[in-house]
Amino acid sequence: MEMRPGLSDSEVAQRLDRFGYNELPGQDKKNIWVIVLEVIREPMFILLIFSSLLYMVLGDYREGMMLMSFILVIIFITFYQYQKTERALEKLKNLSSPRAKVIRNQQVVRIPGREVVPGDILSLSEGDRIPADARLLEINNLMIDESMLTGESVAVQKKLNTVEEIGMVFSGTMIVQGRALAEVTETGVYTQLGKIGTSLSNLRSGETRLQIEMKKLIRSLLWIGVGISLAVFLAFYLSRGGLVKSILNALSTSIAILPEEFPVVFTVFLAIGAWRLSKIQVLTRNPSAIETLGSTTVLCSDKTGTITQNRMQIMQLFLDGQFVNEADFLLEKAKIQSLIYAAELASHASSLDPMEVAIFQTKQSLGAEVSPMLPLLREYPLSTDLLAMTQVYQVDQAIHVGYTKGAPEAIFNLCQIDGKEREKLEEALGKMASHALRVIAVAQTGILKGDLPDQQKNLNCQFLGLIGLQDPIRPEVPQAIQECMDAGIKVNMITGDYPQTASSIAKQIGLRNADQVLTGEELLQLSDEELKRCIGDYSVFARIKPEQKLRIVNALKQNQEVVAMTGDGVNDAPALKAAHIGIAMGNKGTDVAREASSLVLLDDNFASIVAAIRSGRRIFDNLQKAMSYIISIHIPIIGLTLLPAMFEFMPLLLLPLHIVFLEMIIDPICSVAFESEVEEKSIMSRPPRDVRATFFGFKLLFRSIVRGLLLLSTVLVVFWFSWKEGHTDNEIRAISFSALIIGNIFFIYSSLSNTRSFIHVFIERNAMALIVSITAIVVLLLIVYVPYLQSLFSFEFPGFAHFKLVLITSFILLATLELVKWGRGKL
C-alpha cells in the first residue's frame, strides 16, 4: 500500500473548528444539588438533620444552626472529594479512548479515536476497532466483524467501490483479518453507530469483593447501632429521666456507631489510585484490578517491546554458507544486497513493525538504489498454521515473482530443505540464536506464470539466507525482575522466538531456570494435567502461539496461582480475559486486547508492570490502614456516648455537635492523608497477599478495636482526674474532648505507617496530615478559649494548666503504639 500524504495539522484544526465533529455526548456531571441529595440520604446525615431540627424545636436555635452549618461543611468536603475523583476518572477516560492510526503530514501516527476528523486517512489492520465511518481506498484481504451494527456474527468480506456497492467501513466495527487504507467521511454522532460514545462512557462495573464485604459490614453496624441506640435511650431515660436528653444521647450514639466514611474512602482511594497508576503509564480499566495487584504470584510477560525495546537492528546475516556481521555489511555490500532487497519486498510497505523497519533502515544504510515499484498482485498473510508471509509482484502481464520471509522452520519446509543442508542451516540458526538474535529466513518463489496457488504452502520457494536481528533489552528490566523475585512473584517470559534466543534473553535479564525452555511443539504433546504438574519448572516459553497462552494461564490458575498476563493481539484476548489481571499493550496492542484486559500498559514497558504491582500494594496497604483507623477512632466515640448512659455520675461527654466536629478531622485524614502516604519499607520484600484473605479479617478487626480501646482509656484517665478535681460538667467536657482530639492526632501519626515511626510524617512531609492536625489544634484552642464558641460546644475554660495531663496521656498513647509497632517489626 502506498504512503499517502494525509491531512496537515492546519487542515485538522480547520475541520475541528468548522464541523465540531468530535463533540461526543459526554457523561452527565453531578452538580452540587445532586451531591447534596446523595449525601443527605445517608443514615448519619439524616440523624444529624434530625438532631439540628430537635435543637431548634427546643428553642436552642444557636446550637441547631451550628450543627446545620457543620453539615454544610461536610457536604462541601464530600463535593470536593467527588470533584477530585471525577477529574481523575476523566483523565483515565481520555487515556482509554480507542486508538487510531492515521496518516498525517506523510507520517503514520497513533492518536485517540476521538481526535479523528473527516478527511483523515486511516491505516487499518487486524484487531483494530474502526473509529469512524470511512470510504475504502485500498484493501488487502479485508474481513470485518459488523455484528455491533447488524447483529450478524459472521465476518463480512469487504471490497472497494463497485457499481453495486460503495466500499465503506463503519465506526465501532472490528477488523478480524487483513489491512486497509480508508478516508474518514463521518465521525462522532454523525456515524452509523450514532450517539454511542466511547466504550468507557457507558461502562458499568460490577461490585468488587471488597465493596460487597464493606456493604455487609456497614449493614451489620447499622443494625447494631439501632439496637444500641434504643438501649441507650431506655437506660438513660429510666436512670435519669429527661426525654430530650435521652433522645440526644441516643442520637449521639447512633451517629458515633455509623462509620459512613467507608464508602467515601473506598471510592476516593480507587479513583485516585487509578489516576496514580496512570502517572506511571498504567491505565486501569477495571478498579478490582487494584485490589488484585498485591496478590499477584506469577507474571507472564511478552518479550518483544515489553522486556526489550521493540527497536530491531540487523546484527548478522547468513548466506551462501557464511556469516556476515554488522561491521562488515558495507564491505560485503554487493553480496548481501540481494538478500536485503528480497526481505524488503517480502515486507509491508510503510510498515510500523520494528523488524520490517530494521530491514528498510539497513537497505538505506547500504546506500542501495530505490527499489522499483512493482505492482503488488497478491499477499499470502502470516497465519498460525504457517509462520511465513509472501508478497507476489507483477513483473509484466504473464510473469510474477514472489518473496517470502518468516520463521526459519517454516521457510525450510516451504523450500523443502532436508538432510545435510538442513542440518547445516539449523547449526547456523543455533549459533545466531545463542547470541540472543531473533532469526528470520528469506526465500524467493522464482518466476511464476499463470494462476497463483490458493495456499502459500503450494509455492515453490528457493532459500536465500538468514537474517539475525536484535532487540536490545530495556536497561531497567533486570532490576525489575529482581524486585519481582524479592516480592515472591515468579516471572515467566512467553515469546514466539526461537528457543535458544529466548533462553539467551532470559539469562541476560536474570530469569531462573533460563536453560529450561518449554516450546509450543512440546506444549501440544502435553495433556492439561501434565502441563499443570510441570509448568512450575519453567520460566521460559518459546515458539508459543497466541492461543497456547490460554492453556498456560489455566494451568497456572489450577495451581492456585494469581496470574497477571500481558498480550497485544486479537488472539491474546482469551488469555487476557482468563488471567486474574490482563495487561494489554497500549502502543502495539489491538483494541480487542485492550477491551479484554484489566490494565493497559501505555508505554509497553515491563518495568511499568512491576511499578504497578508496587503501587497496587501501596494503595491496598493505605486503604487497609485508613479503614482500620476508621474502626479504631469510632471505638472511643462510641465509648464516650455509651458510658454516661451506664453511670449516673458521668455528664454527657459527646453531643452531636462534637461528633460532627470529629468527622471534620476524620474524613479528610482518611481520604487524603492516608491515600497520599508513602509506601511501606518492606513493600516489595514480602510475599504476595493471599487473595482469599478477607479485608476485614479477625486479626485486623481485633487490632483496630484494641487500638481504639487504648485511645478510649487515655480519654477516660483524663476524665477521671478532671472529675476528681471537682471541675464543672462543662469543664470536664472540654478537657475530655481535648484529650480525644489531641490523642486522635497522635494516634493518626502512629497509624500512617506500619514500618516507620511517627517521625517520618515530618521527614517525609505528609502535607495533608500536618495541615489537618494543625488546623484541628488551632480550632480546638478557639472553641475551648473563646467564650462565644465555648457556649456553642457547652464548654467552659478550665485553665491551660489542666491540659498538661492531656499531653502526657497522649504521649504515653503514642509511645505505647510505637513500642507495639516496633515489637511487631521485630517478630
Side-chain angles (χ1 to χ4, degrees):
M1 294 182 183
E2 62 177 304
M3 175 64 76
R4 294 170 180 258
L7 297 177
S8 65
D9 293 337
S10 60
E11 287 175 319
V12 171
Q14 289 171 4
R15 289 171 190 241
L16 279 173
D17 291 340
R18 181 180 175 187
F19 299 110
Y21 275 102
N22 288 9
E23 296 177 5
L24 297 178
Q27 197 171 12
D28 292 337
K29 296 289 190 298
K30 295 181 182 177
N31 58 37
I32 185 65
W33 300 113
V34 177
I35 298 295
V36 169
L37 290 175
E38 289 186 353
V39 169
I40 63 177
R41 283 204 300 263
E42 294 293 327
M44 192 203 77
F45 288 97
I46 294 173
L47 294 172
L48 287 175
I49 292 170
F50 184 74
S51 299
S52 63
L53 292 176
L54 183 60
Y55 276 115
M56 292 181 184
V57 169
L58 296 173
D60 195 343
Y61 296 104
R62 188 175 58 181
E63 185 89 8
M65 291 303 297
M66 189 68 180
L67 193 58
M68 190 66 74
S69 67
F70 272 122
I71 295 172
L72 295 176
V73 173
I74 292 176
I75 289 174
F76 171 77
I77 292 174
T78 305
F79 184 71
Y80 171 77
Q81 290 169 336
Y82 173 82
Q83 290 290 88
K84 190 173 182 180
T85 302
E86 274 296 301
R87 285 194 295 271
L89 292 175
E90 185 66 27
K91 290 178 181 178
L92 295 178
K93 188 173 78 172
N94 291 339
L95 285 171
S96 65
S97 172
R99 317 300 284 178
K101 284 185 292 185
V102 299
I103 300 173
R104 288 184 179 172
N105 299 317
Q106 298 186 346
Q107 290 185 339
V108 179
V109 294
R110 186 182 285 268
I111 63 173
R114 67 182 183 281
E115 294 181 9
V116 171
V117 297
D120 267 329
I121 305 297
L122 297 174
S123 176
L124 303 170
S125 55
E126 181 179 332
D128 289 346
R129 186 175 290 283
I130 300 171
D133 288 0
R135 179 174 57 85
L136 289 168
L137 302 176
E138 298 180 30
I139 61 172
N140 187 349
N141 194 28
L142 187 64
M143 300 282 290
I144 295 185
D145 176 5
E146 296 185 341
S147 58
M148 181 176 286
L149 289 175
T150 65
E152 295 291 336
S153 59
V154 179
V156 178
Q157 177 83 45
K158 285 292 181 177
K159 298 179 182 179
L160 293 177
N161 290 347
T162 63
V163 176
E164 298 84 12
E165 152 181 34
I166 299 176
M168 292 286 294
V169 291
F170 301 102
S171 174
T173 59
M174 187 79 68
I175 298 180
V176 297
Q177 185 176 314
R179 296 179 297 117
L181 291 179
E183 181 181 1
V184 174
T185 57
E186 304 287 354
T187 64
V189 296
Y190 300 96
T191 64
Q192 291 293 318
L193 199 58
K195 296 184 177 181
I196 298 177
T198 62
S199 59
L200 191 66
S201 299
N202 296 323
L203 185 62
R204 295 291 182 269
S205 300
E207 289 186 335
T208 65
R209 178 178 175 178
L210 182 54
Q211 285 174 309
I212 295 170
E213 190 177 340
M214 190 189 311
K215 279 192 172 183
K216 288 181 180 178
L217 180 65
I218 293 174
R219 195 178 300 116
S220 299
L221 290 174
L222 176 62
W223 288 112
I224 292 172
V226 171
I228 293 177
S229 299
L230 289 174
V232 167
F233 170 75
L234 291 173
F236 201 92
Y237 182 74
L238 293 175
S239 62
R240 301 189 186 187
L243 179 63
V244 174
K245 283 191 175 182
S246 301
I247 293 175
L248 285 174
N249 201 38
L251 288 172
S252 299
T253 304
S254 300
I255 297 168
I257 291 174
L258 289 176
E260 80 294 337
E261 301 90 353
F262 277 5
V264 174
V265 170
F266 182 79
T267 302
V268 169
F269 262 76
L270 289 191
I272 304 301
W275 176 76
R276 288 188 187 277
L277 285 177
S278 74
K279 303 297 283 185
I280 58 172
Q281 302 300 307
V282 179
L283 171 65
T284 309
R285 288 179 55 83
N286 184 357
S288 63
I290 296 177
E291 298 176 38
T292 315
L293 273 171
S295 304
T296 304
T297 60
V298 177
L299 175 55
C300 298
S301 174
D302 281 336
K303 177 185 74 66
T304 304
T306 308
I307 290 174
T308 60
Q309 297 179 26
N310 200 23
R311 182 177 57 83
M312 285 294 200
Q313 183 177 0
I314 296 179
M315 303 300 295
Q316 193 176 57
L317 303 175
F318 181 81
L319 68 166
D320 298 335
Q322 294 181 343
F323 288 104
V324 181
N325 294 320
E326 181 194 20
D328 301 324
F329 281 1
L330 290 177
L331 296 175
E332 302 287 347
K333 175 179 175 181
K335 181 179 180 180
I336 68 175
Q337 270 188 337
S338 60
L339 177 61
I340 298 298
Y341 175 73
E344 179 196 28
L345 291 179
S347 306
H348 295 131
S350 307
S351 173
L352 297 178
D353 182 87
M355 184 174 63
E356 297 184 340
V357 169
I359 292 171
F360 302 149
Q361 289 175 343
T362 301
K363 185 188 174 186
Q364 290 175 358
S365 68
L366 292 174
E369 296 180 1
V370 177
S371 305
M373 294 300 293
L374 297 174
L376 179 63
L377 186 63
R378 178 168 181 175
E379 177 184 349
Y380 294 92
L382 189 79
S383 67
T384 55
D385 297 326
L386 183 60
L387 298 175
M389 63 174 290
T390 300
Q391 301 219 116
V392 180
Y393 298 88
Q394 184 174 349
V395 179
D396 57 35
Q397 291 295 332
I399 300 175
H400 321 307
V401 62
Y403 297 92
T404 305
K405 68 174 173 57
E409 306 98 307
I411 300 298
F412 295 164
N413 292 333
L414 282 175
C415 297
Q416 299 180 2
I417 299 173
D418 52 21
K420 291 184 178 180
E421 185 181 359
R422 181 154 187 159
E423 289 179 7
K424 185 178 179 180
L425 288 174
E426 287 181 344
E427 182 182 352
L429 179 62
K431 288 180 180 179
M432 297 174 79
S434 66
H435 292 95
L437 298 180
R438 181 177 181 180
V439 184
I440 61 171
V442 181
Q444 183 176 338
T445 62
I447 304 299
L448 299 172
K449 295 183 180 180
D451 294 334
L452 297 175
D454 292 333
Q455 297 183 352
Q456 187 176 193
K457 65 182 180 181
N458 294 328
L459 293 171
N460 183 20
C461 294
Q462 299 168 2
F463 181 77
L464 295 180
L466 300 174
I467 298 178
L469 303 100
Q470 187 177 65
D471 186 2
I473 294 170
R474 292 181 184 266
E476 63 273 17
V477 167
Q479 177 60 34
I481 295 284
Q482 188 59 49
E483 277 192 65
C484 285
M485 292 179 179
D486 293 341
I489 301 169
K490 182 186 177 186
V491 179
N492 290 339
M493 185 177 76
I494 303 176
T495 177
D497 276 351
Y498 193 72
Q500 285 179 274
T501 304
S503 178
S504 178
I505 293 288
K507 290 176 183 176
Q508 292 180 45
I509 63 177
L511 283 187
R512 293 170 184 165
N513 303 327
D515 289 323
Q516 299 183 42
V517 182
L518 183 65
T519 67
E521 288 285 336
E522 293 168 340
L523 189 64
L524 284 174
Q525 308 304 317
L526 296 174
S527 67
D528 289 343
E529 190 60 34
E530 289 171 333
L531 180 60
K532 175 186 172 184
R533 286 198 300 269
C534 75
I535 197 167
D537 300 330
Y538 296 95
S539 295
V540 185
F541 301 81
R543 282 292 186 252
I544 298 297
K545 298 177 182 178
E547 57 267 25
Q548 291 177 320
K549 290 183 180 181
L550 180 59
R551 286 195 67 197
I552 293 173
V553 169
N554 287 334
L556 291 168
K557 289 172 69 176
Q558 288 171 11
N559 286 337
Q560 306 305 314
E561 304 283 5
V562 179
V563 184
M565 164 68 77
T566 68
D568 56 8
V570 177
N571 292 337
D572 290 334
L576 292 172
K577 201 75 175 176
H580 296 97
I581 304 175
I583 306 171
M585 301 296 104
N587 288 330
K588 63 176 182 173
T590 61
D591 284 336
V592 177
R594 288 162 64 93
E595 291 175 12
S597 64
S598 305
L599 303 176
V600 177
L601 210 58
L602 299 177
D603 61 357
D604 295 2
N605 192 341
F606 179 84
S608 296
I609 304 174
V610 181
I613 292 174
R614 175 190 289 272
S615 185
R617 288 188 175 192
R618 184 189 70 81
I619 292 167
F620 190 89
D621 283 353
N622 289 343
L623 179 60
Q624 198 167 52
K625 285 183 286 188
M627 297 299 192
S628 176
Y629 165 74
I630 292 171
I631 294 171
S632 297
I633 194 59
H634 277 80
I635 298 299
I637 296 174
I638 293 169
L640 294 177
T641 53
L642 282 177
L643 290 174
M646 300 169 63
F647 302 100
E648 291 188 27
F649 69 90
M650 291 185 70
L652 287 175
L653 296 178
L654 288 182
L655 300 173
L657 187 61
H658 302 144
I659 297 174
V660 172
F661 180 81
L662 281 167
E663 295 294 337
M664 305 288 292
I665 303 173
I666 295 171
D667 275 359
I669 282 291
C670 291
S671 58
V672 182
F674 276 101
E675 193 282 326
S676 60
E677 180 62 17
V678 297
E679 65 192 39
E680 300 289 357
K681 285 182 179 179
S682 59
I683 196 162
M684 292 299 280
S685 301
R686 65 190 191 212
R689 178 177 53 85
D690 186 354
V691 73
R692 294 166 297 182
T694 58
F695 185 87
F696 295 103
F698 175 77
K699 188 176 180 180
L700 175 65
L701 284 171
F702 179 76
R703 187 165 70 243
S704 303
I705 291 171
V706 169
R707 286 159 61 86
L709 289 173
L710 282 174
L711 178 55
L712 174 61
S713 64
T714 61
V715 179
L716 291 177
V717 167
V718 171
F719 160 77
W720 178 261
F721 279 97
S722 301
W723 181 67
K724 281 293 185 181
E725 289 174 358
H727 288 282
T728 65
D729 286 355
N730 285 352
E731 289 176 340
I732 292 173
R733 188 178 294 114
I735 296 171
S736 300
F737 187 72
S738 301
L740 179 58
I741 297 296
I742 302 298
N744 178 37
I745 291 171
F746 282 35
F747 184 85
I748 289 166
Y749 284 179
S750 180
S751 301
L752 282 170
S753 176
N754 293 327
T755 56
R756 295 179 173 89
S757 71
F758 73 96
I759 299 173
H760 97 279
V761 176
F762 304 96
I763 297 174
E764 301 285 350
R765 297 179 183 176
N766 189 326
M768 281 308 305
L770 294 172
I771 290 171
V772 173
S773 58
I774 291 171
T775 304
I777 291 172
V778 170
V779 175
L780 175 65
L781 290 174
L782 290 174
I783 62 178
V784 170
Y785 188 72
V786 176
Y788 178 76
L789 295 176
Q790 287 177 16
S791 62
L792 283 177
F793 281 81
S794 301
F795 289 162
E796 288 180 19
F797 182 60
F800 286 112
H802 295 284
F803 289 97
K804 290 179 182 178
L805 183 60
V806 171
L807 293 174
I808 291 171
T809 54
S810 296
F811 274 112
I812 292 173
L813 171 68
L814 180 62
T816 303
L817 294 173
E818 291 294 295
L819 282 172
V820 171
K821 185 194 299 181
W822 178 81
R824 287 175 57 207
K826 291 294 182 181
L827 292 178

